[in-house]
Amino acid sequence: MFKIDQRSSIPIYQQLIQEIKQAILKGILQPGDKLPSVRELSVQLTINPNTIQKSYQELEKQKIIETLRGKGTFVTTHYKPGEDKEKLDRLKENLRNTLVETYYLGLNKDEIMQLVQQLLEELKIGEGKS
Amino acid sequence: MFKIDQRSSIPIYQQLIQEIKQAILKGILQPGDKLPSVRELSVQLTINPNTIQKSYQELEKQKIIETLRGKGTFVTTHYKPGEDKEKLDRLKENLRNTLVETYYLGLNKDEIMQLVQQLLEELKIGEGKS
Amino acid sequence: MFKIDQRSSIPIYQQLIQEIKQAILKGILQPGDKLPSVRELSVQLTINPNTIQKSYQELEKQKIIETLRGKGTFVTTHYKPGEDKEKLDRLKENLRNTLVETYYLGLNKDEIMQLVQQLLEELKIGEGKS
Amino acid sequence: MFKIDQRSSIPIYQQLIQEIKQAILKGILQPGDKLPSVRELSVQLTINPNTIQKSYQELEKQKIIETLRGKGTFVTTHYKPGEDKEKLDRLKENLRNTLVETYYLGLNKDEIMQLVQQLLEELKIGEGKS
DNA sequence: GTGGTCTAGACCACA
DNA sequence: GTGGTCTAGACCACG
């Protein structure tokens, strides 16, 4: 269900967070859907339950999922963005750095814009939803 | 000359690499220009010299700067991007993640595209150069 | 009749205990009044009967309600607080922590005192009764 | 330096968070002060380093402390509350529950108000600071 | 069954 | 030296 690269330098718990967020964006996980239990995912992905836990807790803090005690973890039905200027600044910085690297790799402006477009489509990010 | 945020979660040596790359893109540093010495920068930025050293070494590995023994460190005159599919994949992955986060922060497709455009201009990345 | 938040991190059985205690304080439930049966409440609140049971048992242990076999559960007519230094210490600790959090949220001393006053009035806690 | 009750039902990492917040309020820890390293505290309190970690990370997320990579963890110099209506609601709820319990333990309105006053003074929460 | 917490011990990147 | 991540395995409260 979720792809995790054990060799990646990106922490596993962050990879999982990303995978879940993307699954929600793409509609694979719908609001209200139950997520696999910590133990279940732990077995499926052969990852320690604590690591899964960490991902779930972080997503819960971001109000993207919520847990009903004893019942499991679910995708929240009404996610609302919530202003966070600092986070936006961090993202802009990150984006700036990524663009610089992309350029140094030989892509020109048009190719970069195309890449961004393509990724947005892949993620099913359109104007309609936000 | 370069802005370093000691509090940032991004390693200092990577921040410095980014600052230098951006300075080159913006034309503040021209091919052939001499970079400050390690010791000099170390004092200016109140950063451990080893950290500066690490940045310079990484940039040299990427052929963006070069060291002439006894003379100092200079911006290379002819940088040519080498193919590196792995790195491109990493960048795409990074970009994808950043876009997801941006979207979860409440920006819609148009706003994201605008942001990218704006950053590209800031960095003086145009079609003409690559 | 009682408000339960399934999403809250506070256990449901404790929420119910609180709701009942507050209803008594406010006079909505009078000494001698009959409480809804476990099954009845279970349906109304769509909560597992075991959970309701747990709340009732705890309240009975605290002598706030009592069960008459075959007749139902009732608010006790003469509640008298028993000394319990340990519990008082726990409450003080809890209160201290809450005040710290409130302060870190930006409320100053006056605002905190006002908040406490307001809550006491809401709960109809006055000097006359204890 | 910090008092932890291993037997308490309150998670150790939360106790530690509280202890640190209170130490800052009381002026025992001043803005800019270095906190003990994770390992150091771990030995002092005979608590697992991971548990200390968790406390530090939570405090960092709340912007009460910050870490300079390789140097250690420090009390932030400029803490700014930051609106959080939801958290305030949770605190009010908590406060309400605590007041109910206190009342059921036999304290009357005056005694409760006195208790709150006393705690605020202990914590050195005054009007001047917020 | 569910998630939440904790320990012990390990490895890594950073400065 | 610092903090950040991960695993293995354990115990607990809740429903």
Side-chain angles (χ1 to χ4, degrees):
Chain A
M1 184 154 191
F2 302 117
K3 287 175 313 165
I4 300 296
D5 179 3
Q6 301 260 10
R7 274 173 252 84
S8 165
S9 66
I10 299 169
I12 293 175
Y13 83 97
Q14 282 187 17
Q15 289 184 50
L16 183 53
I17 290 175
Q18 272 293 325
E19 288 290 314
I20 293 173
K21 284 185 175 175
Q22 291 184 25
I24 295 173
L25 274 188
K26 293 178 185 168
I28 298 169
L29 282 173
Q30 301 275 350
D33 279 2
K34 185 178 181 308
L35 290 161
S37 82
V38 169
R39 286 167 179 75
E40 206 179 321
L41 248 193
S42 161
V43 172
Q44 268 184 38
L45 306 175
T46 57
I47 284 172
N48 189 288
N50 289 335
T51 306
I52 313 276
Q53 257 295 61
K54 195 168 180 180
S55 304
Y56 277 21
Q57 283 184 354
E58 175 60 23
L59 283 167
E60 184 158 17
K61 217 170 290 181
Q62 293 182 22
K63 313 248 183 216
I64 289 170
I65 67 179
E66 62 188 352
T67 107
L68 303 187
R69 276 176 332 303
K71 294 192 177 165
T73 309
F74 302 82
V75 179
T76 47
T77 45
H78 297 298
Y79 176 75
K80 53 137 222 330
E83 303 245 333
D84 192 340
K85 196 184 170 312
E86 284 188 38
K87 188 165 184 184
L88 184 56
D89 282 346
R90 276 204 304 279
L91 284 176
K92 273 170 78 169
E93 192 57 35
N94 188 334
L95 199 48
R96 180 183 292 118
N97 294 347
T98 308
L99 294 176
V100 168
E101 291 303 325
T102 317
Y103 183 70
Y104 266 103
L105 216 62
L107 275 67
N108 63 28
K109 187 180 173 182
D110 280 354
E111 290 166 329
I112 293 174
M113 291 302 288
Q114 266 180 35
L115 180 57
V116 173
Q117 284 267 14
Q118 178 203 323
L119 288 172
L120 287 173
E121 278 166 27
E122 245 181 72
L123 296 166
K124 310 227 168 132
I125 296 181
E127 297 92 0
K129 230 183 119 181
S130 175
Chain B
M1 184 152 192
F2 302 118
K3 290 176 309 165
I4 300 295
D5 179 4
Q6 301 259 12
R7 281 178 202 75
S8 165
S9 66
I10 300 168
I12 292 174
Y13 84 98
Q14 282 185 17
Q15 289 185 50
L16 183 53
I17 290 175
Q18 271 293 325
E19 287 293 312
I20 293 173
K21 284 185 175 175
Q22 291 184 26
I24 295 173
L25 274 187
K26 293 178 185 169
I28 297 169
L29 281 174
Q30 301 276 348
D33 279 3
K34 186 176 181 306
L35 288 160
S37 78
V38 168
R39 250 171 298 151
E40 207 177 323
L41 252 191
S42 162
V43 173
Q44 265 185 41
L45 305 175
T46 58
I47 283 175
N48 191 307
N50 294 333
T51 307
I52 313 277
Q53 190 63 10
K54 193 166 181 179
S55 305
Y56 278 20
Q57 278 175 3
E58 175 63 20
L59 283 166
E60 199 160 0
K61 205 183 304 175
Q62 295 182 20
K63 314 262 186 206
I64 289 169
I65 65 177
E66 57 189 351
T67 299
L68 304 185
R69 272 209 307 267
K71 294 193 176 170
T73 308
F74 302 83
V75 179
T76 50
T77 45
H78 299 296
Y79 174 76
K80 54 154 217 320
E83 296 252 331
D84 190 341
K85 196 178 173 318
E86 267 190 46
K87 187 164 183 185
L88 183 56
D89 282 346
R90 273 206 307 282
L91 284 175
K92 271 171 77 169
E93 191 56 36
N94 189 334
L95 198 48
R96 178 183 294 116
N97 294 348
T98 307
L99 293 176
V100 169
E101 291 303 323
T102 315
Y103 182 71
Y104 266 105
L105 215 61
L107 274 66
N108 62 27
K109 187 182 173 181
D110 281 352
E111 290 166 330
I112 293 174
M113 290 302 288
Q114 264 180 36
L115 180 56
V116 173
Q117 285 266 14
Q118 178 202 323
L119 288 172
L120 288 172
E121 278 165 28
E122 250 179 65
L123 295 166
K124 310 230 166 125
I125 295 181
E127 298 94 358
K129 224 182 129 186
S130 175
Chain C
M1 182 151 191
F2 303 117
K3 289 175 310 164
I4 300 295
D5 180 4
Q6 301 259 14
R7 281 176 201 78
S8 165
S9 65
I10 299 169
I12 291 173
Y13 83 98
Q14 282 185 17
Q15 289 184 51
L16 183 53
I17 290 174
Q18 271 292 325
E19 287 292 313
I20 293 173
K21 283 185 175 175
Q22 290 183 27
I24 296 173
L25 274 187
K26 294 179 184 168
I28 297 169
L29 282 173
Q30 302 274 350
D33 279 3
K34 185 176 182 307
L35 288 160
S37 78
V38 169
R39 251 170 299 153
E40 206 177 324
L41 252 192
S42 162
V43 173
Q44 264 185 41
L45 305 176
T46 58
I47 283 174
N48 191 307
N50 294 332
T51 307
I52 313 275
Q53 190 64 9
K54 193 167 181 179
S55 305
Y56 277 22
Q57 279 176 0
E58 175 62 22
L59 284 166
E60 199 160 2
K61 204 184 305 176
Q62 294 181 22
K63 315 259 185 206
I64 289 170
I65 66 177
E66 57 189 350
T67 299
L68 303 184
R69 271 207 308 266
K71 296 194 173 168
T73 308
F74 302 83
V75 179
T76 50
T77 44
H78 299 295
Y79 175 76
K80 57 153 214 319
E83 295 252 331
D84 190 343
K85 195 180 172 315
E86 267 190 47
K87 187 163 184 187
L88 183 57
D89 282 345
R90 275 206 307 281
L91 283 176
K92 272 172 75 171
E93 192 56 37
N94 189 334
L95 198 49
R96 179 183 293 116
N97 294 348
T98 308
L99 293 177
V100 169
E101 291 303 324
T102 315
Y103 183 72
Y104 266 104
L105 215 61
L107 275 65
N108 63 27
K109 186 181 173 181
D110 281 353
E111 290 166 331
I112 293 174
M113 291 302 290
Q114 265 181 35
L115 180 57
V116 174
Q117 284 265 14
Q118 177 203 323
L119 288 173
L120 287 172
E121 279 167 27
E122 249 180 67
L123 296 167
K124 310 231 167 125
I125 295 182
E127 297 94 357
K129 223 182 132 185
S130 177
Chain D
M1 185 153 190
F2 303 117
K3 288 176 310 162
I4 299 296
D5 179 3
Q6 302 261 10
R7 270 172 256 86
S8 166
S9 67
I10 299 169
I12 293 175
Y13 83 98
Q14 281 186 18
Q15 290 184 49
L16 183 53
I17 289 175
Q18 271 294 325
E19 288 290 313
I20 293 173
K21 283 186 175 175
Q22 291 184 25
I24 296 172
L25 274 187
K26 294 179 184 168
I28 297 169
L29 282 174
Q30 301 275 348
D33 279 3
K34 186 178 182 305
L35 289 161
S37 82
V38 170
R39 287 166 178 76
E40 206 178 323
L41 247 193
S42 161
V43 173
Q44 268 184 38
L45 305 175
T46 58
I47 284 171
N48 189 289
N50 289 335
T51 307
I52 313 279
Q53 257 293 65
K54 195 167 179 181
S55 304
Y56 277 21
Q57 283 183 354
E58 175 61 22
L59 284 166
E60 185 159 15
K61 219 169 288 180
Q62 294 183 21
K63 312 250 184 215
I64 289 170
I65 66 179
E66 62 187 352
T67 108
L68 304 187
R69 276 176 333 301
K71 294 193 177 167
T73 309
F74 302 82
V75 179
T76 47
T77 46
H78 297 297
Y79 175 76
K80 52 138 223 327
E83 301 245 333
D84 191 340
K85 195 181 172 315
E86 282 188 40
K87 187 165 183 184
L88 184 55
D89 283 346
R90 276 203 306 277
L91 284 175
K92 272 170 79 169
E93 192 57 36
N94 188 334
L95 199 48
R96 180 183 292 116
N97 294 349
T98 308
L99 293 176
V100 169
E101 291 303 325
T102 316
Y103 183 72
Y104 266 103
L105 216 61
L107 275 65
N108 62 29
K109 185 180 175 183
D110 281 353
E111 290 167 330
I112 293 175
M113 290 303 287
Q114 266 179 36
L115 181 56
V116 173
Q117 283 267 14
Q118 177 203 323
L119 288 173
L120 288 172
E121 279 166 29
E122 244 180 72
L123 296 168
K124 309 228 167 127
I125 296 182
E127 297 94 358
K129 231 182 120 183
S130 176

